[in-house]
Amino acid sequence: MNTDQRIIECVPNFSEGRNQEVIRAIAHEVETTAGVSLLNVDPGEATHRTVVTFVGEPEAVCEAAFRAVRKAGELIDMRQHHGAHPRQGATDVLPLIPISGVTLEECAEMARQLARRISDELLIPTYCYEASALRPEHRNLAVCRAGEYEALADKLLDPVKGPDFGRRPMDERIQRTGATVVGARDFLVAVNFNLNTTSTRRANAIAFDVREKGRPKREGNPITGPIVRDADGHPVMLPGTLKGTKAIGWYIDEYGIAQVSMNITNLAQTPLHRAFDEVCRCAQNRGLRVTGTEIVGLVPKRVLVDAGRYFLEKQQRSTGIPEQDIIDIAVRTMGLSELRPFLPREKVIEYLIEDAAGSTAASGKLVEKTVRDFVEETSRESPAPGGGTVAACMGALGAALGTMVANLSAHKPGWDERWAFFSDYAAQGQALLSRLLRLVDDDTAAFNRLMAAFQMPKKTEAEQAERDRAIEAATLHAAEVPLETMRTASEVFPLCKVMAAEGNPASVSDAGVGALAARAAVVGAALNVRINAKQLHDRAEAERLVAEAQAMCSQAASQEQEILSLIDEKL
């Protein structure tokens, strides 16, 4: 997956949990919106409520959410609704959650725009809550929903209790749809920590040690003494050690163990790995051990990647290893597979999106092929993949070799005090490798775009003009992609130079091969820049592209020679 991809999650709650036709119709609106992956539909009969989970790029997710709200407003009549869960609208609550490449503040602004659109176009009153709240008191969902649907008529015109958008007297439309609460919040991780005990009391004690709310302060005996209260009669609380967490202890018959069950509501304050370490510490202080961890529901990839890097750093090991290996460290360290196998492709949101989009080996991506398949595909009687693609691949191999030397150096016996130095370079190498791998497919895609432009109709003057514009744009793009390959591959030289000078002496030749591969990438990509620039009508732009390419070729030759000279001295 492109690590720069912008992804958000939406988890709307609809006030219908029994009529499957209505539920399917709402889910269909999400499922048929381009750019969105529907991950889960969870109806509850007793609560008379369905939770739908979907993810995708922000614009697509907001569009899918709007369509689902519209359909719910058409099919659900709040005058007939009764259930165990608090509610005040057909679409009761609609949070947007940043997953990748999007900040919480950006999600909050999207939520406000979505709330306004729902009010303007669907005539459904809307509140903004949590991070998107327009009034401080509305950060709390319970305040927005106070009195539920039955109190809505009295709240609508109230300047304090009324909605943020669509404030008007109760009419038949509002009677049917109620009001919707739209917001933005951080991703909530639900996690259970397994203990080597059957005691709920012991598990609760650990939960009180760590949860933000903590435990009531007592006089004398901290367990049985009378609770200390403030002037208003409220219990005085001793806060726990983990901000942004809620936790309790319970016993699970199915597993025969007690667990600390926790919701991490603020991953910036308390990442999963910190919660794990703290629960382990508090359990050990009480004579217990955490034997494993159970993640409930889905998790963003960054949660596991951050955890894996954290545990690698504690071991003084390089973090510049493939992402899959980093996640495996997190899974093993926290015992995520103790109760049942933890399968990242079934639990990590980004991987589910990839699979839903068919972004696997079957998708035809060159980087997903085996080495043999890639080489044989290149050898066939088709012009793509061609030299530009192979140049990007050579650059990726150069970055991989430099990264390998950095990782070997980070773990070399006797060099422990330098592990962080080499780990930083290995991480830089992994980033370069990822960028160059993307360019492998980008180059072939650029060629295919150019071929598509040549196939455009040209029967009329208008069609000919449009075709000419498309060819010029596609030709420019076909030159810019290998130019980007050159820029990126050029960044491999500093990595290989440091590894040749400072890295493990036993691997100095690998740093040299990395430099050779990087120069092959630069010179090879330059040929593709030149052949495409030659076809451009905009000669000034063509000359600029070629001049930049030639300058990088000259610099690459100097850098390669400098690195090879270093290696000659060592050999």
Side-chain angles (χ1 to χ4, degrees), residues 398-399 401-403 405-406 421-422 424-426 428-429 432 435-436 486-503 511 514-516 518-519 522 555-556 558-560 562-563 566:
L401 283 167
T403 303
V405 179
F421 171 81
F422 289 111
D424 287 345
Y425 274 101
Q428 293 173 32
L432 284 173
R435 287 162 57 192
L436 285 157
M486 294 181 70
R487 296 185 188 116
T488 310
S490 294
E491 296 181 46
V492 174
F493 292 113
L495 169 65
C496 289
K497 182 179 178 180
V498 173
M499 292 308 108
E502 305 283 344
L516 291 168
R519 189 186 174 205
V522 171
Q555 189 175 22
S558 299
Q559 290 175 307
E560 178 198 51
E562 190 175 355
I563 293 167
L566 275 172

Side-chain angles (χ1 to χ4, degrees), residues 168-210:
R168 67 182 191 275
M170 178 70 86
D171 55 26
E172 186 176 357
R173 175 68 176 170
I174 300 176
Q175 288 174 5
R176 283 187 57 87
T177 66
T180 295
V181 187
V182 184
R185 61 169 173 80
D186 274 320
F187 192 91
L188 183 153
V189 171
V191 59
N192 300 325
F193 299 102
N194 311 327
L195 302 173
N196 63 334
T197 184
T198 59
S199 171
T200 300
R201 185 161 68 89
R202 297 285 189 272
N204 254 322
I206 298 169
F208 294 166
D209 288 342
V210 299

Side-chain angles (χ1 to χ4, degrees), residues 518-552:
R519 189 186 174 205
V522 171
V523 175
L527 296 176
N528 281 266
V529 173
R530 290 169 59 190
I531 198 169
N532 286 295
K534 183 179 180 181
Q535 308 303 319
L536 285 172
H537 293 293
D538 185 342
R539 298 316 302 161
E541 182 65 8
E543 290 171 7
R544 184 191 68 80
L545 294 169
V546 171
E548 183 178 350
Q550 289 175 336
M552 281 192 282

Side-chain angles (χ1 to χ4, degrees), residues 424-484:
D424 287 345
Y425 274 101
Q428 293 173 32
Q430 286 290 345
L432 284 173
L433 192 158
S434 295
R435 287 162 57 192
L436 285 157
L437 284 177
R438 286 200 297 274
L439 286 161
V440 168
D441 280 292
D442 286 353
D443 193 88
T444 295
F447 177 82
N448 290 337
R449 173 180 165 182
L450 181 57
M451 292 300 98
F454 276 112
Q455 293 169 8
M456 291 175 65
K458 52 181 179 178
K459 293 180 180 178
T460 67
E461 287 187 11
E463 287 180 345
Q464 181 69 57
E466 182 61 28
R467 178 177 179 270
D468 289 345
R469 283 192 294 269
I471 290 173
E472 180 77 356
T475 302
L476 177 61
H477 182 66
E480 288 174 335
V481 170
L483 195 66
E484 183 61 26

Side-chain angles (χ1 to χ4, degrees), residues 399-410:
L401 283 167
T403 303
M404 179 194 79
V405 179
N407 280 322
L408 288 169
S409 305

Side-chain angles (χ1 to χ4, degrees), residues 405-421:
V405 179
N407 280 322
L408 288 169
S409 305
H411 198 48
K412 179 177 168 56
W415 287 21
D416 291 345
E417 75 283 356
R418 304 184 69 194
W419 77 270
F421 171 81

Side-chain angles (χ1 to χ4, degrees), residues 202-352:
R202 297 285 189 272
N204 254 322
I206 298 169
F208 294 166
D209 288 342
V210 299
R211 69 182 187 181
E212 182 173 15
K213 182 179 178 181
R215 56 165 51 84
K217 184 177 181 180
R218 295 178 182 271
E219 294 180 5
N221 190 304
I223 298 175
T224 61
I227 293 175
V228 177
R229 299 183 181 275
D230 62 21
D232 296 322
H234 300 129
V236 175
M237 303 299 292
L238 297 174
T241 55
L242 296 177
K243 295 286 188 182
T245 64
K246 303 174 183 179
I248 60 169
W250 60 25
Y251 174 77
I252 304 297
D253 282 323
E254 181 183 356
Y255 306 135
I257 59 170
Q259 293 179 321
V260 174
S261 179
M262 178 182 291
N263 282 346
I264 304 176
T265 59
N266 190 324
L267 287 164
Q269 289 183 315
T270 301
L272 176 60
H273 51 268
R274 179 161 179 256
F276 172 80
D277 269 4
E278 185 63 8
V279 173
C280 286
R281 185 187 71 82
C282 292
Q284 187 171 11
N285 288 346
R286 294 179 178 276
L288 303 175
R289 288 190 63 198
V290 173
T291 61
T293 307
E294 177 187 28
I295 290 180
V296 181
L298 305 179
V299 64
K301 182 169 61 177
R302 63 185 167 89
V303 172
L304 297 180
V305 171
D306 288 349
R309 286 178 176 151
Y310 168 80
F311 294 123
L312 283 166
E313 288 172 359
K314 287 186 72 174
Q315 299 172 25
Q316 295 191 338
R317 296 294 305 276
S318 173
T319 61
I321 59 177
E323 183 179 85
Q324 188 174 1
D325 296 358
I326 294 174
I327 290 174
D328 185 60
I329 289 290
V331 171
R332 292 178 183 277
T333 305
M334 295 186 289
L336 290 172
S337 292
E338 185 194 14
L339 300 179
R340 65 178 64 85
F342 182 89
L343 303 175
R345 297 224 71 92
E346 296 179 2
K347 298 288 285 185
V348 175
I349 290 172
E350 288 88 339
Y351 294 158
L352 288 168

